[in-house]
Amino acid sequence: MDSVLTVAAGIRAVRKEAGLTQEDLANLAETSERTIRAIETGTGNPSLRAVAAAAQVLGLRLSVTR
């Protein structure tokens, strides 16, 4: 669960630094504001595709490490 919260906090912080609202990010990532809220709070079950799209809009890369 720590990794989910780390991703959530990172996406939220970068979105705010970029001066975007959750609605702005949702539109740019072609998803719903509700999905962005779920990503940023680490709740619900947003798809990996939605998380990756939001990260990409913000210039972030998701990676899997061991």
Side-chain angles (χ1 to χ4, degrees):
M1 188 65 163
D2 287 341
S3 58
V4 171
L5 296 178
T6 299
V7 170
I11 287 176
R12 178 186 295 139
V14 175
R15 175 186 59 78
K16 287 183 175 185
E17 287 172 13
L20 297 172
T21 64
Q22 288 181 337
E23 181 180 12
D24 294 334
L25 181 54
N27 289 332
L28 292 168
E30 298 181 353
T31 191
S32 69
E33 187 175 349
R34 181 178 179 177
T35 297
I36 297 300
R37 193 168 24 262
I39 291 168
E40 289 189 354
T41 59
T43 59
N45 194 20
S47 70
L48 180 56
R49 185 177 309 272
V51 176
Q56 184 176 16
V57 165
L58 296 170
L60 300 172
R61 291 183 59 203
L62 298 178
S63 64
V64 177
T65 59
R66 202 171 166 105

